[in-house]
């Protein structure tokens, strides 16, 4: 079924006895991803103090680390197969050394790729798993990411791998999040490594009937066994289910991926990739540059490398968190930001009615310097279900465009939106409104209709 399996370490392969409640209390991060929360802090000393606490607790836990039930039997099965194996952890190199000391140094060779927090990319930055896939020369959709936390699932879903959640791990421990939230729902879950080994045996090529199939991105849907398709990463599922291979149809299909469905990523990642490609967004060369610079242990880069971004319409915080994991300094903005705060994100609520005059006053006052970009994304599925997000009439109105002027860098700052075209409006009218508001329109595309509603992709700069 899978050509490669990527494992998290703590709570997945080992039982490290980390007291997450104590860690959260001592770092002052009651909820959310610890790394994402710390990266949002402006004070280097605060970051260093909290990282020192984390390192102390992790080092103590490493002294009593134990292998999970079924670990050695699972590794033995993988050793006898042709499946590639990797280890990715946000723990330290010394903790990985303690793991191999526990199970035997001879097992290190089984893990052809090992990534710790000292690597430039760490979870939930999808670049981490894409780097592993590239090293193996394998399609991400044929990989399985196995872990016990939301971050393990998020990184796999974002990269397009299949994902497996080991129940009872870090996110279910006292003091941690309760979920899973959108974008962090696994392809499947198991209760133990024993159950995972049985699952992998049951879905091996000899029993699943998928051996020898061409599951590359150019495969047609008819070449993939329907019973196996749902267990692959979405990057293969979506390309196989699409009746057309052209890029526009693939983009439209991705916009309909429901982030609350098993194995699917946060909505809008394709739009973020597009913005990076055209130069509207600049990600950092590492996942958490502030932490690396302030506390060490992670790779640091020039802090100016990642843009400052206001994510307007942050909703459940799924896309906001993925932006933050790329080294972007992100603030989520919406009418209700409670979900984003629970994910450890820095969020500010609108003042009064969303996107009306004065609605970004508090946001503007909180900025030490203007943002490089305002990002607005409304998924096609969300718009169709009227769940969340904003249409062109709301986020590209004259009042909204004026509000953006007060928070982005004059001249170089940009407003980036991919949203449904409002009923009764035309693309030409929206473009004329941008120009009338004094915006230079760098990009303006009408995307294929999704659910009967056209979508606009816009990059504009207030002059």
């Amino acid at each position: 079924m899978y050509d490669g399996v990527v494992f998290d370490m703590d709570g997945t392969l080992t039982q490290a006895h980390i007291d997450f409640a104590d860690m959260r209390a001592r770092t002052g991060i009651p909820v959310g991803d610890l790394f994402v929360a710390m990266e949002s802090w402006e004070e280097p000393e605060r970051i260093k103090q909290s990282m020192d606490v984390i390192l102390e607790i992790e080092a103590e836990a490493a002294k009593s680390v134990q292998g999970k039930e079924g670990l050695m039997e699972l590794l033995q099965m993988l050793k006898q197969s042709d499946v590639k194996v990797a280890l990715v952890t946000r723990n330290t190199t010394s903790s990985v050394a303690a793991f191999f000391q526990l199970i035997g140094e001879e097992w290190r060779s089984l893990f052809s790729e090992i990534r710790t927090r000292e690597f430039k990319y760490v979870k939930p930055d999808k670049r981490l798993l894409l780097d592993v896939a590239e090293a193996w020369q394998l399609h991400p959709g044929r990989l399985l990411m196995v872990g016990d936390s939301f971050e393990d699932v998020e990184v796999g879903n974002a990269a397009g791998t299949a994902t497996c959640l080991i129940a009872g791990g870090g996110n279910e421990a006292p003091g941690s999040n309760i979920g899973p939230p959108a974008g962090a729902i696994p392809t499947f879950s198991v209760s133990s490594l024993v159950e995972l080994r049985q699952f992998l045996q049951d879905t091996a090529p000899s029993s699943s009937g998928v051996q020898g199939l061409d599951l590359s991105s150019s495969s047609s849907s008819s070449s993939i066994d329907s019973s196996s398709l749902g267990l692959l990463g979405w990057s293969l599922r979506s390309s196989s289910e699409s009746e057309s291979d052209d890029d526009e149809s693939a983009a439209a299909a991705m916009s309909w991926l429901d982030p609350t469905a098993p194995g699917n990523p946060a909505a809008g990642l394709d739009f973020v990739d597009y913005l990076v490609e055209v130069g509207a967004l600049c990600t950092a060369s590492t996942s958490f540059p502030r932490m690396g610079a302030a506390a060490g242990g992670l790779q640091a880069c020039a802090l100016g490398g990642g843009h400052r971004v206001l994510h307007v319409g942050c909703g459940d915080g799924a896309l906001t968190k993925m932006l933050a994991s790329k080294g972007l300094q992100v603030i989520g903005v919406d009418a209700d930001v409670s979900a984003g705060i629970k994910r450890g994100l820095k969020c500010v609520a609108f003042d009064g009615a969303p996107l009306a005059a004065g609605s970004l006053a508090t946001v503007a006052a909180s900025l030490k310097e203007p943002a490089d970009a305002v990002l607005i994304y409304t998924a096609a599925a969300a718009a169709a279900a009227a769940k969340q997000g904003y249409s062109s009439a709301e986020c590209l109105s004259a009042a909204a465009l004026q509000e953006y002027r007060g928070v982005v860098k004059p001249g170089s700052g940009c407003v980036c939106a991919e949203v449904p075209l409002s009923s009764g409006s035309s693309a030409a009218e929206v473009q004329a409104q941008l120009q009338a508001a004094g915006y230079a329109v760098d990009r303006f595309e009408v995307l294929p209709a999704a659910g009967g509603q056209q979508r606009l992709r816009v990059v504009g700069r207030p002059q």
Side-chain angles (χ1 to χ4, degrees):
M1 173 65 69
Y2 304 109
D3 293 333
V5 180
V6 184
F7 289 102
D8 168 56
M9 187 175 72
D10 299 309
T12 300
L13 300 181
T14 67
Q15 187 65 53
H17 307 291
I18 294 176
D19 188 338
F20 288 103
D22 179 49
M23 183 181 287
R24 289 181 178 279
R26 293 173 62 187
T27 57
I29 307 173
V31 293
D33 183 342
L34 295 168
F35 280 24
V36 168
M38 291 165 62
E39 184 68 16
S40 72
W41 295 346
E42 301 279 355
E43 309 85 5
E45 186 58 32
R46 183 185 179 192
I47 295 173
K48 184 180 186 307
Q49 289 175 353
S50 293
M51 181 56 77
D52 287 345
V53 168
I54 293 173
L55 289 170
E56 176 190 333
I57 293 174
E58 289 176 340
E60 188 64 29
K63 297 177 183 178
S64 58
V65 67
Q66 297 175 316
K68 283 288 194 75
E69 179 186 3
L71 170 62
M72 301 313 299
E73 292 84 355
L74 173 62
L75 296 183
Q76 185 63 44
M77 183 197 74
L78 291 171
K79 185 177 182 179
Q80 295 171 348
S81 73
D82 293 329
V83 175
K84 295 181 182 295
V85 182
L87 182 68
V88 297
T89 175
R90 297 206 303 194
N91 212 321
T92 61
T93 300
S94 59
S95 293
V96 171
F99 168 65
F100 286 115
Q101 185 176 9
L102 171 71
I103 66 172
E105 191 64 32
E106 65 272 15
W107 287 98
R108 185 183 288 268
S109 61
L110 175 64
F111 297 84
S112 61
E113 301 295 329
I114 298 176
R115 306 283 190 272
T116 67
R117 73 167 55 136
E118 288 90 351
F119 188 62
K120 58 184 176 180
Y121 307 134
V122 298
K123 296 175 288 188
D125 188 342
K126 72 174 184 177
R127 293 179 292 183
L128 171 66
L129 292 189
L130 293 178
D131 182 82
V132 173
E134 183 178 2
W136 283 342
Q137 292 295 292
L138 293 175
H139 192 292
R142 291 304 303 266
L143 306 187
L144 174 65
M145 175 69 211
V146 181
D148 71 313
S149 73
F150 297 153
E151 288 69 43
D152 296 319
V153 177
E154 284 171 322
V155 69
N157 288 355
T161 75
T163 50
C164 171
L165 180 69
I166 305 286
N171 290 124
E172 298 177 36
S176 298
N177 283 340
I178 299 173
I185 300 172
T187 308
F188 64 94
S189 299
V190 296
S191 61
S192 66
L193 295 181
V194 175
E195 185 179 346
L196 175 61
R197 177 170 61 86
Q198 187 61 55
F199 172 86
L200 293 176
Q201 286 179 333
D202 292 344
T203 56
S206 59
S207 59
S208 67
V210 299
Q211 189 172 26
L213 289 181
D214 176 13
L215 294 182
S216 66
S217 59
S218 61
S219 302
S220 65
S221 58
S222 61
S223 69
I224 299 179
D225 188 289
S226 60
S227 64
S228 305
L229 186 60
L231 297 174
L232 299 172
W234 66 262
S235 58
L236 274 178
R237 285 188 279 116
S238 60
S239 62
S240 299
E241 291 167 350
S242 174
E243 294 182 358
S244 174
D245 289 332
D246 66 86
D247 292 339
E248 289 190 350
S249 296
M254 186 173 180
S255 72
W256 270 96
L257 284 176
D258 181 358
T260 64
N264 284 353
L269 287 177
D270 56 330
F271 182 46
V272 173
D273 289 342
Y274 166 82
L275 294 175
V276 172
E277 182 181 346
V278 301
L281 276 186
C282 179
T283 59
S285 58
T286 63
S287 300
F288 296 106
R290 272 186 177 167
M291 290 179 61
L298 292 92
Q299 286 201 21
C301 69
L303 293 183
H307 274 169
R308 291 178 175 267
V309 179
L310 295 182
H311 181 200
V312 173
C314 62
D316 56 30
L319 180 59
T320 321
K321 184 175 179 179
M322 293 297 99
L323 291 168
S325 75
K326 291 176 175 290
L328 294 162
Q329 302 303 312
V330 188
I331 298 177
V333 185
D334 216 329
D336 180 0
V337 294
S338 58
I341 291 173
K342 287 179 180 178
R343 298 182 90 145
L345 298 164
K346 186 175 183 179
C347 298
V348 180
F350 284 119
D351 295 299
L355 298 172
S359 60
L360 294 180
T362 298
V363 175
S366 70
L367 297 175
K368 288 191 174 181
E369 61 181 277
D372 296 288
V374 171
L375 186 148
I376 313 105
Y377 179 87
T378 299
K387 292 179 181 178
Q388 62 181 28
Y390 301 99
S391 67
S392 63
E394 297 163 311
C395 70
L396 298 176
S397 66
L401 293 172
Q402 184 60 35
E403 285 298 294
Y404 304 148
R405 283 184 174 277
V407 293
V408 299
K409 292 180 178 178
S412 63
C414 60
V415 175
C416 312
E418 184 177 316
V419 294
L421 177 63
S422 299
S423 178
S425 298
S426 70
E429 289 172 340
V430 174
Q431 188 168 16
Q433 185 161 288
L434 283 161
Q435 294 167 337
Y439 277 68
V441 182
D442 294 349
R443 306 273 173 171
F444 193 94
E445 301 177 28
V446 180
L447 302 180
Q453 190 172 24
Q454 285 187 317
R455 296 172 59 77
L456 298 181
R457 178 176 280 181
V458 179
V459 177
R461 300 181 186 275
Q463 301 299 295

